[in-house]
Amino acid sequence: MANSRKILVVDDDYQVVEFIKAILKTKSYHVICGYDGKEGWELLIRERPDLAIIDLRMPGMSGLEFCRRVRRTPEIAQMPLIVISGIGATSDKPESFWAAGLRCDDFLYKPFDPLALLGRVEHLLRRREYISHAGENVMQQAAAEVRRPPTQDPGWREDPVAVVRVFIESWNTRDFALEYETLAEEMKAGLSREEYVQSRLTAYASANGARVVRRMLDSAVKVAHNAACVDCLREDIVEGQAQPKDERYLLRHTPSGWKIMSIQSRSLPPSA
């Protein structure tokens, strides 16, 4: 009996596509094949698969750009993505490093174990099904908030609430360079921008960050001269489960806008 779940495979190497297709067929998945990034994107938009497996380096559109397009397209932003690449022969980075940087759900070096690929596909599909049933409403609400970033307003750096929201929600887009911009020097612990971004990408990978959505729910602000205090209710959505927090941010105004000097946070019971 055919599996109703649809998987898109995109790679410019025909033999790799056929190999992956054969692996997936052992579980009766419906497999759609593309042979460059542009064709793969067109197939994804038309067919709306349940999961996509894409090469990192391919003509028409790279795997990096493919992932970026998926994540910034609201209708498909939550689609599970697995990136595969032969870059492992020249890289000493763990697979989690590439997954975090590419904003995909998983990453595999070529050549890979067929059972490892099947295991990751099945895990991501089960996770997606769990979230869609157990936390559909709350995840949809969180995604709706994330799609309205305050950075669309060019004056966001002059609004202490917007600065705090950027800090919280940069996690969702893995834009840790932007997160770095919201911090005063005492919050950077002497790290350069590159060092800070690397440390946050590592933390993201360790926390399985793709399973988490962070958002600001409500806030109150007090401003006095060059200082501001923002009290906010924040919520982390972890696989459909809401984890609220009560937080206080102290900010200082600088020539480049408001910067966060300190953060106090306490968890609230789920019923809060």
Side-chain angles (χ1 to χ4, degrees):
M1 181 177 179
N3 194 317
S4 61
R5 287 175 291 190
K6 190 185 303 183
I7 298 178
L8 172 66
V9 179
V10 188
D11 196 303
D12 58 322
D13 187 324
Y14 177 81
Q15 291 184 337
V16 171
V17 172
E18 289 299 302
F19 177 59
I20 296 175
K21 182 179 179 180
I23 294 170
L24 297 174
K25 286 291 187 179
T26 65
K27 294 295 183 179
S28 301
Y29 290 115
H30 177 50
V31 184
I32 308 162
C33 303
Y35 300 95
D36 63 57
K38 185 175 182 295
E39 180 186 15
W41 178 255
E42 292 171 351
L43 286 168
L44 184 142
I45 294 300
R46 183 170 69 246
E47 300 290 340
R48 298 297 173 90
D50 297 290
L51 179 147
I53 302 171
I54 56 176
D55 188 23
L56 179 59
R57 296 172 174 171
M58 52 186 175
M61 183 189 306
S62 69
L64 173 60
E65 178 59 24
F66 195 101
C67 290
R68 285 176 173 172
R69 288 196 183 188
V70 169
R71 297 308 183 217
R72 64 176 178 243
T73 304
E75 296 79 6
I76 55 173
Q78 301 302 319
M79 179 179 293
L81 298 173
I82 297 176
V83 175
I84 57 175
S85 178
I87 200 172
T90 59
S91 173
D92 60 356
K93 303 294 185 182
E95 292 176 342
S96 59
F97 170 85
W98 292 102
L102 292 165
R103 298 179 60 196
C104 60
D105 298 279
D106 218 329
F107 181 93
L108 281 172
Y109 285 128
K110 297 177 184 176
F112 48 81
D113 183 343
L115 291 179
L117 176 64
L118 274 180
R120 299 189 192 196
V121 166
E122 292 174 357
H123 168 73
L124 290 175
L125 289 174
R126 285 198 305 269
R127 189 189 80 187
R128 187 184 193 193
E129 183 177 0
Y130 167 78
I131 292 175
S132 67
H133 285 85
E136 183 178 9
N137 291 336
V138 71
M139 289 299 290
Q140 286 177 347
Q141 292 169 3
E145 292 294 327
V146 169
R147 289 197 293 268
R148 296 192 295 271
T151 50
Q152 289 180 350
D153 177 0
W156 69 271
R157 291 178 177 82
E158 294 301 319
D159 179 354
V161 173
V163 170
V164 170
R165 184 177 168 195
V166 168
F167 173 81
I168 293 172
E169 297 182 1
S170 289
W171 177 273
N172 305 317
T173 56
R174 301 181 195 177
D175 194 345
F176 298 121
L178 182 62
E179 182 182 281
Y180 184 85
E181 291 183 26
T182 68
L183 302 177
E185 290 302 317
E186 53 264 50
M187 288 287 291
K188 296 175 182 176
L191 297 176
S192 67
R193 182 190 302 271
E194 292 72 24
E195 291 169 336
Y196 180 89
V197 169
Q198 181 56 58
S199 70
R200 294 294 283 153
L201 286 173
T202 300
Y204 188 99
S206 299
N208 287 322
R211 304 183 183 189
V212 181
V213 174
R214 296 180 174 178
R215 60 175 179 163
M216 178 191 288
L217 297 179
D218 198 8
S219 64
V221 61
K222 296 179 181 177
V223 179
H225 304 295
N226 290 327
C229 175
V230 176
D231 291 312
C232 78
L233 177 62
R234 163 182 159 181
E235 189 176 62
D236 291 355
I237 312 299
V238 183
E239 294 192 356
Q241 301 298 311
Q243 299 179 0
K245 295 181 180 181
D246 183 20
E247 297 190 321
R248 169 166 290 182
Y249 293 78
L250 298 181
L251 300 90
R252 178 176 63 247
H253 194 263
T254 73
S256 57
W258 290 99
K259 302 290 184 180
I260 298 170
M261 298 187 296
S262 69
I263 304 171
Q264 295 178 343
S265 180
R266 67 184 182 92
S267 297
L268 299 172
S271 60

